[in-house]
Amino acid sequence: MPNLISLLRRIDLRDWIIFVICFGMYYFVYARYYTSGEITHCCDTHGMWSIEYLAMYSIARVGEFAWWDPTGVNGWPIYSNLLNWTFNYFSPYSLPYLGGFLLISRFHEISPQGINQALVNEKVIYYYLLNFIAMMLISREVLKTYTARFFVAIAFTLGVISFQGFRDSHQYMALPGPLFYVWSLLYYDRRRTFESFLVFVLATGLLVSS
């Protein structure tokens, strides 16, 4: 019990308040229109969107990655786009979502509409949360006051980067690796302990494999 109490005391409720406020604003201003289907992603509906849909469809239906689609990448293997373009679809940061999607599909049949909804949630919700967490960790290392951190969080949530995530989602999906690497570099520089060095090595490995 004392250990649990000490752990709860270390949880800073102000960070959670910032997170809840910013995510609420993000969902109310932007995300709810995409998750409801009222607005769809633009520019790449016949390119990256259809290819990623095929990848998730293959995961849900046959339990493996779709390796080739003659209609999606001008006849090239599908992995030439999903693994070697501006982002890696098998990045360590995307695997938790894909793994969860695969696990759910093993126990519950996912309809084509459900697959599309899962793709929307991945682009609009999942990667926003990843990038937001990394950004908040960085701000904790360079800013002392919660007012400054709150300003950064609002700027990230309502700024141009969110629009970039909607227009060019593949670039937004590539951000977690660099952001967490920058945080780990700052984290190690300010502590210089063996534990912080391990965090830096881990983040570097995740960036390299992203």
Side-chain angles (χ1 to χ4, degrees):
M1 183 63 68
N3 292 333
L4 178 59
I5 294 176
S6 62
L7 178 61
L8 292 175
R9 287 176 177 174
R10 293 174 57 185
I11 298 177
D12 199 325
L13 293 180
R14 288 174 292 186
D15 287 329
W16 285 104
I17 291 173
I18 292 175
F19 169 77
V20 171
I21 291 176
C22 289
F23 181 76
M25 288 191 301
Y26 172 80
Y27 187 84
F28 180 79
V29 175
Y30 299 130
R32 64 190 177 103
Y33 296 106
Y34 289 87
T35 56
S36 67
E38 185 175 346
I39 296 178
T40 60
H41 280 73
C42 69
C43 301
D44 63 353
T45 54
H46 298 290
M48 287 306 302
W49 188 270
S50 60
I51 294 174
E52 292 180 47
Y53 178 90
L54 174 65
M56 299 195 76
Y57 182 90
S58 179
I59 292 174
R61 289 294 185 269
V62 299
E64 64 179 40
F65 184 62
W67 295 108
W68 184 67
D69 173 24
T71 67
V73 202
N74 197 27
W76 286 89
I78 191 173
Y79 61 80
S80 66
N81 196 294
L82 291 180
L83 303 184
N84 301 312
W85 198 35
T86 54
F87 77 106
N88 177 3
Y89 202 67
F90 283 132
S91 161
Y93 294 101
S94 67
L95 289 181
Y97 190 88
L98 295 179
F101 178 77
L102 174 62
L103 183 63
I104 292 174
S105 68
R106 297 303 92 189
F107 296 95
H108 175 72
E109 183 177 354
I110 303 177
S111 66
Q113 295 82 2
I115 296 174
N116 187 75
Q117 187 65 44
L119 185 56
V120 171
N121 292 337
E122 179 189 29
K123 291 175 176 290
V124 175
I125 302 296
Y126 177 71
Y127 277 100
Y128 166 79
L129 294 176
L130 275 182
N131 293 326
F132 182 86
I133 291 171
M135 181 275 307
M136 285 298 294
L137 290 174
I138 293 173
S139 67
R140 284 176 62 91
E141 297 299 322
V142 298
L143 300 172
K144 292 184 178 180
T145 66
Y146 281 90
T147 302
R149 297 176 192 171
F150 189 41
F151 174 79
V152 172
I154 293 178
F156 177 84
T157 298
L158 303 179
V160 67
I161 188 60
S162 294
F163 286 101
Q164 188 71 18
F166 297 137
R167 183 184 182 279
D168 295 312
S169 57
H170 51 88
Q171 297 181 13
Y172 199 67
M173 295 165 70
L175 282 178
L179 288 178
F180 279 103
Y181 172 76
V182 171
W183 165 72
S184 70
L185 189 62
L186 294 169
Y187 185 81
Y188 174 64
D189 180 65
R190 282 159 171 73
R191 290 163 182 79
R192 298 300 179 100
T193 63
F194 181 70
E195 290 77 9
S196 62
F197 176 73
L198 291 180
V199 171
F200 172 69
V201 171
L202 174 62
T204 303
L206 293 175
L207 173 63
V208 172
S209 56
S210 294

